[in-house]
Amino acid sequence: MVSDKDTVYGIIRETIRQIPRGKVSTYGEIAKFSGFIGRARMVGYALRNSPTGMKLPWHRVVNSQGKISFRRSRHHAMQKTLLVKEGVTFKGEKINLAKHRWRP
DNA sequence: CTGGTGACCATTA
DNA sequence: TTAATGGCCACCA
């Protein structure tokens, strides 16, 4: 069955799916582009609930500071690796958002 | 219902 | 630069 919330998460995932290779976006921006201003946390929640089979470019979503939102974990290391492999440049722990920020 | 938690954010100190 | 704070809201005990 399909509820309104499923739709909300679906829209968020659709937006994330549009992020091209080598580009990144932030939780707040994704929420905004999806029509949910101020609901950045919902983006994180939607991703957390998305199984790997969803094949979303989850690694292209970082926080507003250009940093990875995971604390020490495999995900943190993997995300950075995947991004670097796509050509995203890091300045220490931060991504150069001015250069890689994506907009729809 | 209440309170705690969280892949967040902007502001303030 | 890091921390604390208040705001946001779905989910869970």
Side-chain angles (χ1 to χ4, degrees):
Chain A
M1 88 157 245
V2 181
S3 68
D4 293 346
K5 283 163 194 160
D6 289 330
T7 303
V8 170
Y9 295 137
I11 291 172
I12 290 173
R13 286 191 288 259
E14 283 268 330
T15 303
I16 293 173
R17 201 167 296 165
Q18 293 173 52
I19 306 175
R21 235 173 144 246
K23 290 287 182 183
V24 300
S25 192
T26 69
Y27 295 89
E29 298 273 280
I30 294 294
K32 184 165 54 170
F33 301 150
S34 300
F36 308 107
I37 300 175
R39 291 151 178 78
R41 304 187 80 129
M42 296 297 91
V43 175
Y45 205 87
L47 279 176
R48 206 185 84 107
N49 274 309
S50 298
T52 54
M54 201 67 81
K55 283 168 186 153
L56 289 171
W58 60 271
H59 55 281
R60 306 206 259 246
V61 185
V62 296
N63 65 29
S64 65
Q65 297 175 49
K67 292 200 275 194
I68 293 170
S69 289
F70 288 112
R71 294 228 246 192
R72 304 160 180 265
S73 70
R74 295 187 173 185
H75 295 275
H76 184 288
M78 188 192 312
Q79 182 167 13
K80 185 169 180 178
T81 299
L82 289 170
L83 289 174
V84 171
K85 193 148 63 162
E86 292 187 352
V88 175
T89 58
F90 277 76
K91 183 167 52 174
E93 288 296 292
K94 284 185 292 191
I95 289 173
N96 186 336
L97 284 179
K99 178 176 167 122
H100 297 291
R101 183 188 289 287
W102 169 80
R103 311 209 105 226

